[in-house]
Amino acid sequence: MSAPELEIAPQKALRPPSSVMRLRRMGAMFPTRLSFLRTLMRDLSANNVQVERRVWRMDDAGFGHAVYSVSLGGYDYSLVAISTDLPPELRTDRVIATAWDSAYVLYDGIPSEAEIARIVASAPKQEAARFTERDLVLSRANKSVRLFQHVTDALKSGVQPDEAMVRDVGYLMRTTAVYGNGKFGIADRGHIAARPCLGGPFAAEMLTVWLIRGFTHDLAEHVGGAALDAKLKRHLGIGNSTGLGMAPFLVSHPRLLDSWMQVRETALARIAALPTLKSAQQAKILDLAARAGRHLNEWSVPDEIAAERIAQLQRDWPAVQEVLAVKLAMPEPISAILDAAEQWFEDTQELLIALLLEPFGDLIDGLTECMANPYGAELDPSMPIEDLKALIKRDWDWATALDFESKEETAQFWYVSEAKQEPRLGLRHEEDGAKLESPLDIARQVANLATALEGAQGITAELVLKRPDLRFAVRRVQTLAIAPYGEIRDNMIADRCLPIDMLRCKLSFFGAAKFDPKSDRWTRITLCQGAPLFDELASADDWWLPCFGE
């Protein structure tokens, strides 16, 4: 008897990488139900996870430590949270900081008193300390001083805090780092990669952030001496300040990026193939479109470029809703809507795509199991040179067409700072340091490879033996051949390269919303806003683009 055939969901053709993998479009992405936080919340709900606050040793001012534990997939995990008195002169979100309002470790298991004491002593030092394989994630956060003070003062006075302030700020604390994967001696990702619910990308980090968010609620209620209204608590997420340190990740992990984007694009192709929509699905999409409009009206930032993009979204959105109202009842409605969306700019298109994915969890949620990818780039030394040339012609025309003799195409260079071991971006024609350049000049390296291949014959091994400086570019070209969404198809060293686009792409996969750029190199965001509270996991799947009070 032959094995039963797997049932494969119908789908349309995927959008081409040449369109999807451009910085401008990647910088327009929104969180979706495929984002890591949403996936984690569904897993917590499915596992009926209960959060236990095992330790609470805080003084009246809110300084001390606490321990929260969860049982997930047969394993116990604990967040050890330490709150300290931070002098105003030491308060900064910059990477040069050496002190923070709070520090955290996600611990593998239930920590003993001795282990708690070790973490309480070490975690506030962050990079200056060292950790063990029982420590899975390391983080730190600073208060939103104005809102935290207002909330606690209001609670002490017997009233709830001002709703407008809660809505406008949206978090009591913001993290300035959430470290995983072996940094400073903590456990490597491989230690937990096979465990239920934590095998997905950044799942342990997202669990840490959600537990930190609950701790900030508890801390404010402890200091204020009263309970926050659940509606307000739900809107209080966790802020985050993210800069250049995150930007090169997508370039350095092409196989992983390809998996993330393939899942997202496959999900879109699946729903685009739906022949019709049920009336309940149509109503849900219209309801979500109205919610997105309210969310846009609550999203205000001082950055002029970002503010104009939000304003354009607000101007486009009534027309989007009109298109939805007309086309949802048509044959192949999602496909028709996507065709109509070509009239709008990238931000509107990507917001619409995120919305359209939302009602179809039964069709697309299983794809998230394909987001983890342990494989790296590999070099095939047996590939004929002619095949290598053909790959460059097929996939890299955008790179070989660039003029790397011009200052515009070579304006910037990436390097790693000696002081903090963090990625930085320099101006090549104005600053020293280009000799220490990191290999993020992918387009230039492939263009150089294409030139070197002119007239060459034989196999790849012969080429890289003669020209070891081309090895990186060869590996990159071969990797893109099997990972078509693994390459950002823009010049990373051109004057037009904006790191904020890379940050937004990655953060949208985390589940971030309300991007608040402070320059083209760093941004503030909000995570877990609208997410279920510790006692609300049964309703874990309806908080896309939350609006205040809903």
Side-chain angles (χ1 to χ4, degrees), residues 329-369:
M330 295 174 57
E332 293 196 344
I334 304 297
S335 182
I337 291 166
L338 294 175
D339 288 343
E342 293 297 321
Q343 65 185 292
W344 298 304
F345 81 141
E346 292 94 338
D347 298 60
T348 303
Q349 293 176 22
E350 293 302 314
L351 176 55
L352 179 59
I353 286 169
L355 183 158
L356 292 173
L357 293 175
E358 194 64 22
F360 303 104
D362 57 339
L363 184 62
I364 67 176
D365 285 354
L367 292 168
T368 60
E369 295 181 9

Side-chain angles (χ1 to χ4, degrees), residues 20-76:
V20 174
M21 301 307 296
R22 302 305 298 264
L23 276 175
R24 177 61 183 87
R25 183 170 294 279
M26 295 170 72
M29 289 175 61
F30 286 83
T32 72
R33 67 177 301 110
L34 305 171
S35 298
F36 308 145
L37 260 171
R38 293 286 301 283
T39 301
L40 174 69
M41 290 296 106
R42 290 194 295 270
D43 285 342
L44 295 181
S45 179
N47 282 268
N48 192 29
V49 165
Q50 307 294 314
V51 180
E52 179 185 1
R53 195 173 80 183
R54 304 177 66 89
V55 175
W56 186 263
R57 297 176 187 164
M58 295 285 170
D59 64 20
D60 291 345
F63 304 128
H65 68 271
V67 179
Y68 297 79
S69 297
V70 298
S71 181
L72 179 60
Y75 294 86
D76 292 323

Side-chain angles (χ1 to χ4, degrees), residues 413-416 418 432-439:
F413 65 94
W414 295 84
Y415 66 99
V416 175
E418 183 176 0
D432 295 329
K435 63 182 179 180
L436 301 175
E437 185 169 6
S438 300

Side-chain angles (χ1 to χ4, degrees), residues 159-216:
V159 298
Q160 290 295 310
D162 179 71
E163 292 190 353
M165 282 189 67
V166 172
R167 181 196 64 216
D168 293 344
V169 177
Y171 52 81
L172 293 167
M173 288 193 187
R174 57 181 173 268
T175 59
T176 63
V178 183
Y179 294 124
N181 197 23
K183 198 147 188 176
F184 312 123
I186 63 178
D188 289 335
R189 169 176 160 74
H191 183 64
I192 58 172
R195 294 188 186 180
C197 307
L198 288 194
F202 295 94
E205 289 87 342
M206 296 301 99
L207 176 60
T208 303
V209 170
W210 182 68
L211 291 171
I212 291 173
R213 180 242 200 169
F215 165 73
T216 69

Side-chain angles (χ1 to χ4, degrees), residues 531-550:
L533 304 174
F534 285 166
D535 60 353
E536 293 180 335
L537 284 172
S539 57
D541 204 32
D542 188 24
W543 51 283
W544 178 74
L545 291 194
C547 300
F548 184 76
E550 298 181 6

Side-chain angles (χ1 to χ4, degrees), residues 443-509:
R444 182 173 63 175
Q445 292 196 48
V446 173
N448 289 340
L449 171 62
T451 300
L453 289 177
E454 293 176 2
Q457 296 180 332
I459 62 173
T460 297
E462 296 168 336
L463 172 71
V464 296
L465 281 173
K466 295 176 184 177
R467 294 286 305 275
D469 59 303
L470 298 175
R471 181 184 297 268
F472 182 93
V474 170
R475 182 185 294 113
R476 201 76 185 194
V477 170
Q478 293 178 339
T479 297
L480 184 57
I482 58 174
Y485 291 90
E487 194 67 59
I488 299 172
R489 302 196 179 199
D490 274 298
N491 180 12
M492 295 293 106
I493 59 173
D495 57 359
R496 61 187 175 276
C497 172
L498 302 179
I500 193 72
D501 291 329
M502 287 180 272
L503 299 181
R504 178 154 171 179
C505 174
K506 186 180 178 185
L507 290 167
S508 72
F509 276 106

